[in-house]
Amino acid sequence: MDPDSDQPLNSRGARNATSLHKARTPLENFKKVGVPIIAALLSLATIIIMAVLIKVNLDKYYFLCGQSFHFISRRQVCDGQQDCALGEDEQHCVKNFPDDPPEAVRLSKDRSTLQVLDPTTGNWVSACFDNFTEALARTACGQMGYDSKPMFRAVKIGPEQELEVAEITENNQEFQVQNLSGLSLKQQQ
């Protein structure tokens, strides 16, 4: 107020002060706060989706050498030549073995059961789980070209089982097949 007047300096001032502090409607709050938050979340989701798509594409066509942090073509992985500085591209590959003599072990296609070749008959037999050990599993995996820690478990044999089941033992890294009559047949590794 002006000390010499009965009127305030700005007669509309009291009304403007209340209108400046007037509460916003929920729609105004949403426009002011919600829309930017939704826009930020959509932008973040788009960036994450793009990153995943890029990673999937890179993994499909390229292999990342971990130590030297560079990419090589997938065709160079498991090609017998170390293309990464520490040879990571060749570490988890199945080793190539000559065709002759044939390998004495394999995994069945249906349930991944271990099968061993009987050299006397030339027939394959399924390995019996009884008395099967981790050492036998390591030997079998080594013969198939794997060098990781093996995991194995028993499976039920049903009427669809076409192969004879035999106990497998090992002597100096050689498999021994105990046939049903108890005879021992040597398998070379």
Side-chain angles (χ1 to χ4, degrees):
M1 287 189 97
D2 185 4
D4 298 329
S5 166
D6 290 343
Q7 294 289 331
L9 290 174
N10 186 354
S11 61
R12 291 185 291 172
R15 283 184 281 158
N16 281 344
T18 58
S19 68
L20 287 178
H21 297 295
K22 182 179 172 184
R24 291 188 200 133
T25 65
L27 182 60
E28 290 172 329
N29 279 337
F30 177 74
K31 286 180 181 177
K32 186 96 170 161
V33 177
V35 170
I37 289 174
I38 290 174
L41 290 175
L42 286 174
S43 297
L44 183 62
T46 302
I47 291 170
I48 290 171
I49 290 170
M50 292 302 292
V52 168
L53 290 175
I54 289 170
K55 182 181 180 344
V56 166
N57 258 341
L58 283 176
D59 286 347
K60 185 176 181 178
Y61 298 106
Y62 298 99
F63 177 81
L64 175 64
C65 298
Q67 295 295 327
S68 57
F69 201 69
H70 78 275
F71 289 95
I72 61 170
S73 170
R74 277 277 173 202
R75 290 185 304 245
Q76 293 174 284
V77 176
C78 297
D79 65 352
Q81 296 188 12
Q82 293 185 359
D83 299 301
C84 294
L86 296 178
E88 303 104 296
D89 59 318
E90 302 297 322
Q91 284 179 348
H92 300 288
C93 302
V94 176
K95 299 172 190 167
N96 290 326
F97 290 98
D99 291 334
D100 294 320
E103 288 306 312
V105 295
R106 70 181 185 189
L107 293 175
S108 68
K109 293 179 184 178
D110 59 349
R111 294 182 302 181
S112 295
T113 55
L114 180 66
Q115 298 176 345
V116 180
L117 183 63
D118 179 344
T120 306
T121 64
N123 295 328
W124 291 91
V125 296
S126 291
C128 181
F129 185 75
D130 296 344
N131 302 318
F132 194 79
T133 64
E134 187 174 333
L136 288 170
R138 270 196 307 274
T139 299
C141 288
Q143 283 187 335
M144 290 182 283
Y146 298 102
D147 62 359
S148 59
K149 181 177 167 74
M151 292 176 35
F152 57 94
R153 63 179 171 81
V155 294
K156 290 191 183 270
I157 295 177
E160 71 279 353
Q161 173 72 21
E162 296 176 10
L163 299 180
E164 188 176 313
V165 177
E167 185 176 339
I168 307 298
T169 59
E170 178 185 17
N171 184 13
N172 295 327
Q173 297 292 314
E174 293 178 346
F175 278 126
Q176 304 254 332
V177 176
Q178 304 289 327
N179 66 11
L180 294 178
S181 63
L183 299 175
S184 175
L185 305 170
K186 265 191 162 178
Q187 290 289 332
Q188 297 283 337
Q189 179 178 1

